[in-house]
């Protein structure tokens, strides 16, 4: 019996497995709770973005997606696009500390932004490049709570396709600012190596996690039976195609040959369980049959950024599908040639993108920025599509998930004058949060502090708080627009 | 001065006059039917001569067998597959995973582009199980019992599934095989048995392929007609881009589709059904090359994918109404002033967003809209990143509307980079060197004029009186046929009037529709002859658009096939 299949294949086929009842069990367990998300994913990219390309002509009366967000068009009804949400502590801190110039002073603008973007409070120590407000970041907080309530093995995974450890460029990555309640960096589950993600979080732990979850044996058997059904149907179809091919005149037979060849390949990926008492061993379940990512993806090299980004996206959705964690942070390295629309490879590197978007130099156009971030949108769309393809309860996994996508800077940061605008951050929510969030909307928050948005997020996640961060950045309470269900 | 490197694929006709140009010329292409040797008699094989084509135009019922082509093996194109699955499930929003078919010519679906790939296989298998539950629910309601019970209910289910998916009755052998599958799955996973049968039907070659070797009456030596069931299948795939509905299938099964009048009735019924728009959408997308519109990158502040989709909807709606309405003629495609206005495209069309609803046909001004070539979809799809592009628009016009190929510049031609647009300079001025340099002029004398005639519409298709301060001169000359003299026009309206009456444009249009009706490009002598004949019939009907579709569906080339010898 060969249950080994590719990771991608498993996720693709997940759409064909309506009876993933271990997921339904999760849903059933939550049925007694108020409507709220069971999973949380924070998506982050650096540098802000181009407002015209992001929003297009969108308004509250005319919900549209701009060029950058084109890949999300099929999922428009699963989104809430937010406008005019500001990182006020980031702005305020910078205004009050003008001497801290990025090149001549002590604090980097991006450090200010990343330290405050997930924790709306003033940093404790303005003299430190990585000073942190000292409150728990929103992703960490939610992950910890979700682990406690669900019993999953991990509270939060931090995934990124590329990270430059110790290079100083961590300043633009939220990794450095993800803190626990004591303001300390406490993040053992961070990975930029897809192979390690697979090994640490999916390969060994998954089987154990599945076994430890009550009712999982029933589900594993069910999956085995469904795989067997699929195998039997595929065998049947192969014979039908063979018969069809045989009946064709000789000059047409070759036209059907690729179909036969692909059926044979498909059969290899399905179980070949024999009918009878000999049930497959427990570890051969959907999650543990994921295939290890290629060795060539272990580190950034040879222009493999996109492939790594894609694999990381798939691993992220696998981590949810396999229920090893209920919270994830996916940070995109959206500069360097790695972002790689063709015109950005080589000559336009990180320095140029930063200098261009933040300082308007080196001939960077907003179209370059939009192309770069459209790549992120592609990956987000990929994850959304996969989560939607996994049935859960009466809907799908995305219905029970809340995705929050943001950045350290706002729209068109160079236009703000100081080159590091922290207003009008690109906030997008996706997923119905277990029915708590009404999606398919564009909301203009008219210069609301992002603390209020996060406070609303805690409500959507079923762990309500009146504020998130310092009270001065939460005046008005949780963003009520996000809590309206009709 | 502006240069643009054209990259066009071969088209049906390459006009000698065009190819007789300067440096971008080549020898007269052998594929030009007007330059063929005359074989002694028309043959379904080979390529017809001018004289033969003239005869083809006059052929009547007595020569019907001459239009018979060999049978073709086709797989459902992506859109046909999705439509069919949704129609069978009776669920328009049935979520299916599909990927684009491998690129064919861009004009029609080619069998070679429909071979099963890994992606197709993966999608089809996943979709089979995704859809199985929905189809099973419809099935239960249709037959009034649960197939999982087996017995006679299973037989009823198999009969119905065969009708829906195979579009033909189940043979005894096949029934046995499906029953065996049901029993085998039931033993291993009882809850899956009925679902597995449905999933198997939606992956079966009888559903996914069309092998159209005729099984009907022998109409001449070596020529057979499609039987009623096959014709019904072909008709639905042509006019609905889907499988036949039960009405059509039952009429075929009952033998009431044998008479021409009955077939005309069905053609009319299908054309009157909203599903006919799938066919016209598919056609206009390929004809005017609008496929990439929504994903097109543009540096225009107003541009979004959603706006692109609105542009496309406008064109789809207008084109469908022209093609399926009773009165529209070919010329109307290039002269109508109608738009489908919604709140999302109203502003760009100069209409009030506040009063625009979810969509309505509106007559725009005769200056703003003059036929399909002035639709925002065409103009935006064939424009540059920012601003218009007379070259892209003109080249697409020649290739798609006139079936004239414009070859790419020679590889060794040193083409300078495209200069930045300078305010106050018109596109005509920037393209002036094309006409002065004989190396460029050989092709651009045909490409640029129809493109420059569209300069009153910017990169998003908005009408403008001037181009960034420069006045617009849309006049020029257009070549409408290899054997024609270039004709002058001074306004876009004059150009569109010429195109609407040009035999070469009408022939091109018929040829492309014929390709869609057959599921293949006309490449054989019999097919070229059939196109000529259908074009002749369309001319007899003053190129009424709906009648052209009816002619295609009722034409012998749609119904007759030569018999296959080898086995």
């Amino acid at each position: 019996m060969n249950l080994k299949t590719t990771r991608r294949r498993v996720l693709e086929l997940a759409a064909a497995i309506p009876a993933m009842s271990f997921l339904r069990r999760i849903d059933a367990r939550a049925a007694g709770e108020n409507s709220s998300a069971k999973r949380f994913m924070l998506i982050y990219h650096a540098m802000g973005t181009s407002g015209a390309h992001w929003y297009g002509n969108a308004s509250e009366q005319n919900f549209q997606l701009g060029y950058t967000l084109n890949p999300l068009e099929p999922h428009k009804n699963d989104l809430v696009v937010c406008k005019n949400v500001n990182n006020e502590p980031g702005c305020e801190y910078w205004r009050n500390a003008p001497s801290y110039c990025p090149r001549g002073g002590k604090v980097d603008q991006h450090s200010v932004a990343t330290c405050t973007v997930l924790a709306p409070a003033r940093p404790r120590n303005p003299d430190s490049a990585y000073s942190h407000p000292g409150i728990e970041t929103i992703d960490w907080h939610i992950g910890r709570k979700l682990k406690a309530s669900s019993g999953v093995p991990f509270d939060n995974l931090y995934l990124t396709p590329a990270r430059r450890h110790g290079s100083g460029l961590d300043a633009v990555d939220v990794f450095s600012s993800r803190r626990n309640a004591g303001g300390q960096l406490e993040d053992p589950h961070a990975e930029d190596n897809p192979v390690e993600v697979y090994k640490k979080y999916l390969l060994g732990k998954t089987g154990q996690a599945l076994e430890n979850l009550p009712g999982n044996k029933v589900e594993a058997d069910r999956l085995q039976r469904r795989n067997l059904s699929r195998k039997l149907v595929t065998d049947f179809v192969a014979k039908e195609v063979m018969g069809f091919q045989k009946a064709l005149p000789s000059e047409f037979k070759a036209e059907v040959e690729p179909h036969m060849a692909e059926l044979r390949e498909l059969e290899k990926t399905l179980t070949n369980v024999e009918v009878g008492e000999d049930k497959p061993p427990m570890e051969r379940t959907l999650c543990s049959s994921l295939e290890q990512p290629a060795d060539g993806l272990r580190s950034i090299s040879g222009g493999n950024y996109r492939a790594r980004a894609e694999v990381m996206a798939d691993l992220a959705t696998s981590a949810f599908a396999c229920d090893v964690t209920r919270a994830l942070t996916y940070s995109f390295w959206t500069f360097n040639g790695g972002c790689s629309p063709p015109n950005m490879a080589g000559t336009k590197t990180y320095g140029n993108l930063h200098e261009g978007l933040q300082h308007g130099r080196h001939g960077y156009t907003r179209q370059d920025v939009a192309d770069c971030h459209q790549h992120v949108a592609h990956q987000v769309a990929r994850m959304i599509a996969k989560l939607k393809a996994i049935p859960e309860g009466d809907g799908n996994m995305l219905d029970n998930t809340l995705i929050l996508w943001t950045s350290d800077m706002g729209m068109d940061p160079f236009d703000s004058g100081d080159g590091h605008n922290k207003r009008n951050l690109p906030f997008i929510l996706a997923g119905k949060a277990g029915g708590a969030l009404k999606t398919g909307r564009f909301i203009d928050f008219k210069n609301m502090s992002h603390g209020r948005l996060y406070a609303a997020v805690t409500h959507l996640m079923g762990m309500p708080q009146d504020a998130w961060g310092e009270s001065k950045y939460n005046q008005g309470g949780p963003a009520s627009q996000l809590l309206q269900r009709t | 001065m502006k240069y643009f490197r054209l990259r066009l694929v071969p088209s049906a006709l390459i006009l000698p006059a065009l190819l007789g140009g300067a440096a971008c010329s080549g020898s007269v292409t052998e594929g030009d039917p007007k330059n063929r040797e005359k074989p002694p008699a028309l043959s379904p094989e080979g390529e017809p001569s001018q004289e033969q084509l003239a005869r083809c135009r006059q052929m009547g019922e007595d020569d019907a067998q001459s239009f018979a082509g060999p049978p073709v093996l086709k797989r459902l194109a992506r859109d046909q597959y999705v439509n069919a699955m949704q129609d069978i499930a009776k669920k328009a929003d049935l979520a299916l995973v599909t990927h684009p078919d491998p690129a064919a010519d861009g004009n029609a679906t080619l069998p070679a582009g429909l071979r099963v790939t890994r992606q197709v296989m993966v999608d089809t298998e996943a979709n089979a199980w995704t859809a199985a539950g929905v189809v099973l629910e419809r099935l239960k309601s249709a037959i009034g019992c649960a197939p999982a019970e087996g017995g006679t209910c299973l037989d009823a289910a198999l009969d119905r599934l065969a009708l829906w998916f195979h579009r033909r009755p189940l043979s005894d052998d096949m029934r046995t095989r499906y029953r065996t599958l049901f029993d085998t799955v039931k033993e291993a996973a009882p809850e899956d048995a009925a679902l597995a049968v449905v999933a198997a039907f939606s992956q079966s070659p009888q559903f996914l392929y069309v092998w159209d070797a005729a099984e009907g009456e022998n109409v001449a030596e070596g020529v057979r007609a499609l039987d009623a069931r096959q014709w019904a299948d072909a008709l639905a795939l042509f006019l609905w881009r889907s499988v036949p509905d039960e009405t059509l299938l039952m009429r075929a099964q009952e033998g009431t589709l044998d008479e021409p009048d009955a077939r005309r009735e069905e053609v009319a019924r299908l054309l009157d059904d909203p599903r006919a728009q799938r066919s016209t959408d598919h056609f206009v997308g390929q004809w005017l090359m609008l496929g990439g519109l929504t994903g097109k990158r543009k540096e225009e502040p107003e541009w979004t994918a959603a706006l692109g989709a609105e542009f496309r909807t406008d064109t789809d709606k207008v084109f469908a109404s022209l093609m399926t309405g009773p009165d529209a003629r070919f010329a109307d495609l290039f002269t109508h002033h109608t738009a489908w206005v919604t709140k999302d495209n109203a502003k760009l069309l100069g209409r009030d967003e506040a009063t625009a609803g979810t969509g309505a046909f509106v007559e725009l001004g005769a200056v703003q809209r003059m036929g399909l070539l002035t639709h925002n979809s065409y103009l935006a799809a064939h424009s540059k990143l920012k601003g218009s592009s007379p070259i892209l628009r003109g080249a697409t016009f020649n290739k798609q509307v006139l079936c004239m190929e414009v070859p790419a510049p020679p590889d060794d031609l040193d083409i300078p980079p495209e200069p930045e647009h300078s305010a106050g300079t018109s596109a005509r001025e920037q393209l002036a060197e094309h006409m002065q340099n004989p190396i460029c002029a050989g092709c651009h004398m045909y490409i640029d004029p129809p493109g420059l005639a569209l300069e009153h519409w910017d990169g998003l298709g908005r009408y403008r009186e001037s181009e960034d301060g420069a006045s617009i001169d849309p006049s020029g000359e257009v070549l409408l046929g290899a054997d024609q003299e270039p004709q002058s026009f001074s306004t876009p309206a004059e150009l569109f009037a010429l195109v609407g009456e040009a035999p070469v444009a009408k022939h091109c249009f018929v040829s492309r529709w014929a390709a869609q009706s057959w599921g293949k490009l006309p490449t054989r002598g019999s097919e070229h002859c059939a196109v000529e004949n259908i074009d002749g019939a369309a001319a007899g009907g003053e190129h009424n658009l709906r009648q052209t579709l009816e002619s295609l569906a009722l034409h012998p080339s749609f119904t007759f096939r030569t018999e296959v010898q080898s086995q």
Side-chain angles (χ1 to χ4, degrees):
Chain A
M1 183 179 69
N2 176 18
L3 280 162
K4 191 175 183 185
T5 184
T6 64
R7 166 197 43 75
R8 181 175 300 179
R9 175 70 189 147
V10 164
L11 282 171
E12 285 165 347
L13 293 178
I17 305 178
M20 290 181 69
S21 59
F22 79 96
L23 299 173
R24 287 185 180 158
R25 174 189 50 71
I26 293 165
D27 193 50
R29 187 168 57 192
E33 302 170 2
N34 293 329
S35 294
S36 58
K38 297 168 185 61
R39 295 172 205 85
F40 179 74
M41 184 185 294
L42 173 75
I43 295 167
Y44 175 87
H45 76 259
M47 306 282 188
T49 193
S50 161
H53 290 87
W54 187 269
Y55 294 124
N57 290 326
S59 67
E60 290 190 336
Q61 290 73 39
N62 180 25
F63 179 28
Q64 298 181 357
L65 301 178
Y67 169 85
T68 307
L69 302 177
N70 272 354
L72 289 162
E73 191 67 32
H75 311 295
K76 190 174 156 188
N77 288 333
D78 302 304
L79 307 179
V80 177
V81 176
C82 308
K83 190 173 184 181
N84 289 323
V85 179
N86 303 333
N87 178 354
E88 292 294 353
C91 298
E92 185 176 328
Y93 175 51
W94 188 253
R95 279 199 303 272
N96 293 335
S99 63
Y100 297 115
C101 169
R103 280 175 296 283
K106 302 169 185 174
V107 178
D108 180 85
Q109 280 274 21
H110 292 277
S111 300
V112 173
T114 55
C115 286
T116 51
V117 71
L118 301 180
R122 286 163 295 182
R124 283 175 171 173
N125 179 4
D127 293 334
S128 165
Y130 296 104
S131 175
H132 190 271
I135 63 169
E136 208 170 14
T137 49
I138 187 80
D139 56 338
W140 190 253
H141 172 81
I142 291 173
R144 195 167 49 76
K145 293 271 189 184
L146 287 174
K147 180 189 176 188
S149 63
S150 66
V152 293
F154 304 107
D155 37 22
N156 194 317
L157 302 188
Y158 174 88
L159 308 180
T160 180
R163 180 169 164 260
R164 294 187 173 181
H165 300 279
S167 70
L169 297 179
D170 279 350
V172 295
D173 190 345
V174 286
F175 174 80
S176 308
S177 39
R178 296 173 67 249
R179 303 296 166 117
N180 62 19
Q184 301 301 308
L185 180 66
E186 183 190 332
D187 203 347
H189 312 308
E191 269 301 340
D192 62 354
N193 177 345
V195 177
E196 288 303 308
V197 174
Y198 167 79
K199 285 184 172 176
K200 285 183 185 173
Y201 305 114
L202 291 167
L203 176 62
K205 301 289 190 334
T206 303
Q208 182 186 337
L210 285 172
E211 283 184 340
N212 290 341
L213 292 172
N216 191 56
K217 180 71 170 68
V218 174
E219 178 52 28
D221 289 348
R222 174 72 202 98
L223 290 174
Q224 292 291 354
R225 289 202 303 278
R226 172 51 62 87
N227 271 0
L228 177 56
S229 302
R230 291 170 55 207
K231 170 78 165 50
L232 291 169
V233 169
T234 304
D235 286 345
F236 173 88
V237 171
K239 285 174 189 157
E240 292 298 303
V241 173
M242 197 181 297
F244 179 78
Q245 184 186 35
K246 196 175 172 186
L248 288 171
S250 53
E251 63 263 39
F252 291 95
K253 291 185 195 299
E255 300 287 331
V256 184
E257 192 48 48
H259 195 163
M260 284 304 303
E262 294 305 335
L263 277 165
R264 285 190 283 268
E265 286 300 311
L266 177 61
E267 283 182 298
K268 288 180 191 171
T269 68
L270 298 173
T271 70
N272 53 5
V273 183
E274 297 300 325
V275 178
E277 297 299 316
D278 184 19
K279 293 292 181 190
M282 184 62 205
E283 66 273 16
R284 291 177 177 178
T285 57
L286 177 71
C287 296
S288 57
S289 59
L290 291 170
E291 195 168 75
Q292 180 173 317
D295 269 358
L297 299 177
R298 281 178 181 275
S299 58
I300 281 281
S301 65
N304 66 358
Y305 173 83
R306 276 176 182 266
R308 282 165 62 94
E310 205 167 87
V311 166
M312 278 296 192
D314 290 350
L315 291 168
T317 47
S318 291
F320 278 173
C322 301
D323 209 25
V324 297
T325 185
R326 297 289 179 91
L328 263 160
T329 298
Y330 192 140
S331 179
F332 285 88
W333 186 258
T334 56
F335 20 82
N336 207 338
C339 194
S340 68
N343 63 330
M344 296 183 70
T347 56
K348 293 186 174 181
T349 56
Y350 157 71
N352 279 351
L353 177 57
H354 171 260
E355 294 292 290
L357 189 53
Q358 254 71 58
H359 303 288
R361 302 181 188 128
H362 297 305
Y364 245 101
T365 68
R366 287 173 192 179
Q367 185 66 47
D368 293 323
V369 176
D371 285 339
C372 180
H373 292 153
Q374 194 182 67
H375 162 67
V376 178
H378 273 292
Q379 302 309 320
V380 176
R382 182 183 182 88
M383 290 190 281
I384 286 176
K386 287 182 181 298
L387 291 174
K388 280 167 81 171
I390 301 173
E392 185 170 35
D394 295 332
N396 57 59
M397 192 170 271
L398 182 68
D399 293 338
N400 295 315
T401 300
L402 181 65
I403 295 174
L404 172 67
W405 177 8
T406 191
S407 180
D408 59 339
M409 297 293 162
M411 297 295 166
D412 307 302
F414 176 64
D415 290 356
S416 70
D418 73 355
H420 290 84
N421 176 30
K422 299 169 200 67
R423 288 206 161 83
N424 194 7
L425 268 57
F427 274 106
I428 287 181
L429 303 177
K432 292 191 169 49
L437 179 64
K438 182 188 171 199
T439 54
R441 290 191 290 166
F442 177 95
I443 303 175
D444 186 344
F445 287 95
K446 299 181 171 58
N447 292 317
M448 181 185 77
S449 164
H450 71 319
R452 296 180 60 197
L453 187 144
Y454 289 154
V457 164
T458 63
H459 283 254
L460 297 172
M461 294 302 306
M463 44 190 82
Q465 302 222 5
D466 292 338
W468 187 257
E470 279 185 75
S471 59
K472 69 178 290 189
Y473 305 117
N474 279 272
Q475 297 300 313
S480 58
Q481 298 98 317
L482 292 175
L483 304 180
Q484 294 165 356
R485 297 192 193 184
T486 56
Chain B
M1 181 175 65
K2 286 205 173 189
Y3 291 91
F4 195 88
R5 181 179 285 272
L6 291 167
R7 184 171 173 275
L8 299 176
V9 295
S11 186
L13 292 174
I14 301 181
L15 296 180
L18 177 60
L19 289 167
C24 67
S25 67
S27 61
V28 174
T29 299
E30 292 179 0
D32 183 352
K34 295 181 174 58
N35 291 283
R36 295 288 165 275
E37 296 268 330
K38 298 182 184 70
L42 179 65
S43 158
E45 307 300 330
E47 293 172 344
S49 66
Q50 289 274 33
E51 187 181 337
Q52 287 171 336
L53 288 172
R55 276 185 52 208
C56 292
R57 216 169 168 80
Q58 305 301 324
M59 283 179 174
E61 283 188 16
D62 293 344
D63 302 305
Q65 70 277 4
S66 301
F67 301 118
V72 177
L73 176 67
K74 292 168 279 190
R75 182 174 61 77
L76 298 187
R78 181 191 189 187
D79 66 312
Q80 291 171 322
Y81 167 79
V82 171
N83 292 335
M85 291 288 281
Q86 291 176 340
D87 287 350
I88 289 170
K90 290 267 186 209
K91 189 170 170 56
D93 60 350
L94 179 67
L96 300 168
V97 180
T98 59
H99 290 77
D101 288 318
D105 175 70
N107 300 326
T109 316
L110 287 173
L114 292 176
R115 289 183 178 170
V116 169
T117 61
R118 176 73 46 90
Q119 192 63 62
V120 168
M121 191 71 259
V122 167
D123 290 348
T124 306
E125 202 264 351
N127 291 334
W129 287 94
T130 303
V134 183
V135 174
L136 190 58
E137 286 308 307
R138 185 193 164 201
L139 184 63
K140 284 180 194 170
S141 144
I143 61 178
C145 61
E149 297 165 6
T152 55
C153 185
L154 179 59
D155 274 331
L158 294 177
D159 285 336
R160 194 60 67 106
L161 289 169
L163 190 67
W164 291 347
F165 285 101
H166 293 180
R167 294 94 77 192
R168 72 184 76 199
L170 211 54
S171 69
D172 290 343
D173 280 353
M174 204 171 278
R175 181 185 302 280
T176 304
R177 294 202 295 274
Y178 273 102
R179 287 202 70 111
T180 304
L181 173 69
F182 176 85
D183 293 338
T184 309
V185 177
K186 191 171 185 181
E187 186 182 345
E191 69 277 20
D192 284 347
L195 290 171
V197 168
V198 177
F201 267 99
S202 71
Q203 297 177 75
S204 70
Q206 286 77 16
F207 172 58
L208 298 173
Y209 289 97
V210 177
W211 166 237
D212 70 354
E215 297 173 8
E217 67 171 317
N218 195 329
V219 294
E221 186 180 349
V223 177
R224 281 188 180 277
L226 300 180
D227 66 18
R229 181 201 60 75
Q230 289 180 301
W231 181 81
D233 197 30
L235 185 71
L237 288 171
F238 169 35
L239 293 182
W240 283 353
R241 306 286 299 170
S242 183
V243 290
D245 62 357
E246 287 195 24
T247 304
L248 187 53
L249 286 167
M250 293 314 291
R251 288 197 74 175
Q253 211 156 300
E254 291 161 2
T256 57
L257 270 188
D258 294 335
E259 294 302 316
D261 283 349
R263 293 195 176 193
R264 277 193 199 93
E265 275 176 25
E266 280 304 298
V267 171
R269 184 176 72 85
L270 265 62
L271 284 173
D272 288 336
D273 189 284
R275 281 170 281 190
Q277 194 185 321
R278 294 167 175 172
S279 186
T280 56
D281 287 358
H282 184 79
F283 179 87
V284 76
Q286 300 225 1
W287 180 39
L288 299 183
M289 299 179 77
L290 307 177
L293 179 60
T294 52
K296 192 171 174 67
R297 177 182 155 182
K298 278 189 173 291
E299 281 189 0
E300 305 272 6
E302 299 88 347
W303 177 250
T304 62
L307 186 63
E310 288 297 321
F311 288 172
R312 183 63 204 270
T313 301
D314 169 20
T315 299
D316 287 345
K317 289 276 187 187
V318 172
F319 186 68
S321 74
L322 291 170
M323 288 305 305
T324 58
D327 302 322
R329 301 176 193 287
F330 179 76
D332 294 325
L333 296 172
F334 301 95
T335 56
H336 65 262
H337 310 309
T338 314
W340 179 259
V341 178
T342 68
K343 61 181 174 54
D344 296 316
N345 68 0
K347 189 175 176 185
L348 276 172
L349 292 171
R351 297 278 149 168
D352 183 7
E353 289 173 277
T355 57
T358 54
F361 287 116
V362 172
E363 290 297 308
L364 301 180
V367 172
Q368 184 181 1
R369 173 155 292 189
M370 294 180 241
L372 289 168
L373 299 183
T374 64
H375 276 226
N376 302 75
S377 60
Y378 181 82
L379 296 159
H382 306 296
S383 288
K384 292 178 298 188
L385 195 64
K386 191 169 186 177
S388 66
S389 171
I391 298 174
L392 286 178
R393 292 171 178 181
T396 308
F397 165 79
N398 277 292
K399 178 171 184 276
Q400 297 300 113
V401 179
L402 304 182
C403 290
M404 265 172 49
E405 183 188 4
V406 181
D411 289 339
D412 57 354
L413 189 62
D414 184 19
I415 299 176
E418 194 170 353
E420 293 294 322
H421 174 75
S422 53
T425 306
S426 70
R428 180 177 293 274
E429 289 167 323
Q430 289 183 310
L431 295 178
E433 184 163 331
H434 282 168
M435 297 304 133
Q436 292 154 11
N437 184 339
I439 292 177
C440 308
C443 294
H444 280 278
M445 63 187 291
Y446 303 108
I447 297 170
D448 295 359
L452 288 167
L454 299 176
E455 274 299 284
H456 271 301
W457 292 269
D458 70 9
L460 291 182
R462 286 170 296 206
Y463 185 81
R464 57 188 179 182
E465 283 296 337
S466 64
E467 180 196 351
D468 203 10
S471 62
I472 294 171
D473 173 9
S475 66
E477 288 188 335
V478 62
L479 184 70
L480 296 168
D483 53 352
Q484 303 290 311
E485 290 297 318
Q487 299 186 60
S488 299
F489 59 88
S490 55
T491 65
E494 287 181 19
L495 169 65
F496 300 142
L498 290 170
V499 175
E501 297 302 331
V504 67
K506 293 171 181 171
H507 187 282
C508 179
F509 185 72
V510 167
S511 171
R512 295 190 183 286
W513 264 116
Q516 182 160 315
S517 75
W518 301 331
K520 72 185 289 291
L521 288 170
T523 55
R524 306 172 63 87
S526 58
E527 292 158 352
H528 288 304
C529 188
V531 168
E532 203 67 30
N533 188 260
I534 297 162
D535 188 41
E542 297 182 335
H543 287 279
N544 177 290
L545 295 173
R546 182 179 169 109
Q547 284 176 22
T548 300
L549 294 184
E550 291 168 347
S551 297
L552 283 160
L554 298 167
H555 194 264
S557 61
F558 191 74
T559 310
F560 294 170
R561 300 287 180 274
T562 53
E563 289 185 300
V564 182
Q565 303 301 320
S566 62
Q567 197 61 29

